[in-house]
Amino acid sequence: MPIIGFAGLGLMGAGMAGNILKAGYPLKVLAHRNRQPIDDLVSRGAAEAANAAALGAECDIVFLCVTGASQVESLIDGEHGIRVGARQAGRDNLVIVDCSTSEPTLTRKLAESLAQDRITLIDAPLGGIPAQAESGELQAIIGADPATLERVRPVIETWAARIMHVGPVGAGHTMKLLNNFLAMGYGAIFAEALTIGAKAGITPQTFDSVIRGSRMDSGFYRTFFQYVLERDRNAHRFTLANAHKDTRYLASLAEAMNVDAGVARAVRDLYAGAEAQGDGEKYVPELSDIVAARHQLSLAD
C-alpha cells in the first residue's frame, strides 16, 4: 500500500486527510499554523513529517491542499521542499497531487520541471464544502495523464464522490478557476442586487421569495442566502481573500489568453476592494453587507 503525504490541513484538507487515514493508508502529515488537525490525525495513527522534504523522501503520493500558487511553489521548491527530499532519497516515482486552486501556467511549468527529476505533478482542485470533505463527497477536477490518474484514483476515491478528468496537467486548475469565476461572479451580483433592491424598497426576504425555487435558484444561492436571511456565517465558509485570489488568477489567465475579460476584472476588483478594507477573512456571503454598508444600508434590519 502506498505511503501518502498530506500538506495543508485547513477547512478542506483536514477532512480529506482523515478519510485517507480511515481507508487504511499510511499517512504522513505536515503542520502549518493550526495544531488541532495535526494532533487529531496523529492521535488516530498518522505520523507527523518534519518538513516538506520529509514528505518527498518518505512518501509515494503527496497531496497539497494549500491557499494558492506561492504556497505550492514553496512546498515543492523551497529550501526544505518536496523536490529536495525526493532527490536526496533517490525517489523517481513520486506523484504530487495539487488540490489547491492555483495558476495553470505555474502548474504546467512545475510539471515540466519536476519531470526532469522523474516526479509527476497533477492537478486535482476541489469542488464542494468542508462538510463534504469530512463525509468523502467532494468533487475532484483533475488534470493528468490517464496512467497517473489510475495510479492515484483509489486514494482520491477516499475523499471524492465524483472524479472528473478534464484534460492534461493544468486543465484541472483552468476549469476550477472558471468554476470559481461563475461562483464569485454570482456572489458579486447577489451583493449588488440586494443593495439596489434595498435602495428601491425590496427587502432581502422579498428578493428571496421570488428567486427561491425559480430558474435562478442554485446550491450557491441557497448557502449565500442562508447567511443573508439567517445570519449563519458558517453556511458558506470561503473567505473574501480566497475569492480575490481566485478571481485575480482568472483575470490573469484571460489576459495571458488575449481575452478582453471586462466582467472578470470587475468581479476581481469588487473582491479586491473588500480585502483592501480589511475584510479578507470574512466569508463570501458577507460581501452583501460590505456593499450595502458602502451605501449606508443594513440588510440585517
Side-chain angles (χ1 to χ4, degrees):
M1 185 170 278
I3 298 171
I4 310 302
F6 208 107
L9 300 171
L11 291 174
M12 302 292 270
M16 295 162 65
N19 280 305
I20 292 170
L21 188 63
K22 193 188 324 182
Y25 287 96
L27 181 68
K28 295 181 182 291
V29 289
L30 182 63
H32 184 40
R33 291 174 300 208
N34 184 2
R35 288 293 316 176
Q36 188 276 324
I38 285 281
D39 293 339
D40 174 61
L41 289 164
V42 169
S43 73
R44 292 156 58 190
E48 183 175 353
N51 50 36
L55 294 181
E58 300 166 8
C59 299
D60 302 298
I61 302 169
V62 176
F63 287 86
L64 310 180
C65 191
V66 292
T67 303
S70 61
Q71 292 81 10
V72 169
E73 196 164 22
S74 177
L75 280 167
I76 291 174
D77 277 334
E79 182 181 358
H80 302 289
I82 294 169
R83 189 197 301 260
V84 168
R87 279 177 176 170
Q88 291 176 344
R91 282 195 171 271
D92 61 1
N93 62 348
L94 175 65
V95 177
I96 301 172
V97 184
D98 182 8
C99 298
S100 313
T101 301
S102 191
E103 293 185 271
T105 49
L106 174 67
T107 303
R108 289 190 290 268
K109 177 182 174 183
L110 282 173
E112 291 174 5
S113 172
L114 286 164
Q116 297 174 16
D117 287 303
R118 297 190 293 278
I119 299 170
T120 302
L121 172 68
I122 69 172
D123 44 325
L126 311 171
I129 59 177
Q132 291 172 303
E134 292 184 12
S135 64
E137 297 177 304
L138 290 173
Q139 297 177 352
I141 307 167
I142 296 180
D145 65 276
T148 303
L149 173 55
E150 290 313 303
R151 179 180 166 191
V152 301
R153 182 185 291 273
V155 189
I156 294 175
E157 285 176 340
T158 68
W159 50 259
R162 188 179 179 199
I163 296 174
M164 295 162 286
H165 186 200
V166 296
V169 63
H173 282 146
T174 300
M175 188 62 230
K176 175 62 174 177
L177 290 181
L178 295 172
N179 178 85
N180 282 17
F181 173 44
L182 294 178
M184 299 309 109
Y186 272 123
I189 290 170
F190 293 158
E192 290 196 349
L194 284 164
T195 290
I196 295 168
K199 278 281 191 180
I202 300 294
T203 67
Q205 290 74 19
T206 299
F207 185 100
D208 180 67
S209 72
V210 174
I211 302 301
R212 190 174 295 264
S214 76
R215 291 180 65 191
M216 293 307 300
D217 200 348
S218 66
F220 182 92
Y221 175 87
R222 295 289 179 108
T223 54
F224 194 99
F225 270 75
Q226 190 171 329
Y227 170 76
V228 172
L229 300 176
E230 302 173 24
R231 301 284 111 181
D232 180 3
R233 284 196 75 238
N234 290 321
H236 194 111
R237 293 189 294 171
F238 191 79
T239 67
L240 292 168
N242 274 333
H244 175 212
K245 181 260 297 180
D246 291 354
T247 53
R248 185 175 73 248
Y249 287 174
L250 187 280
S252 296
L253 178 63
E255 184 177 351
M257 299 293 104
N258 294 312
V259 175
D260 184 11
V263 174
R265 293 194 298 272
V267 172
R268 174 201 63 195
D269 291 348
L270 186 58
Y271 288 102
E275 184 174 22
Q277 69 182 48
D279 290 323
E281 293 309 305
K282 291 183 177 180
Y283 295 136
V284 165
E286 293 177 271
L287 183 66
S288 58
D289 292 335
I290 293 167
V291 174
R294 291 174 183 169
H295 297 84
Q296 295 75 54
L297 294 170
S298 172
L299 300 176
D301 297 339

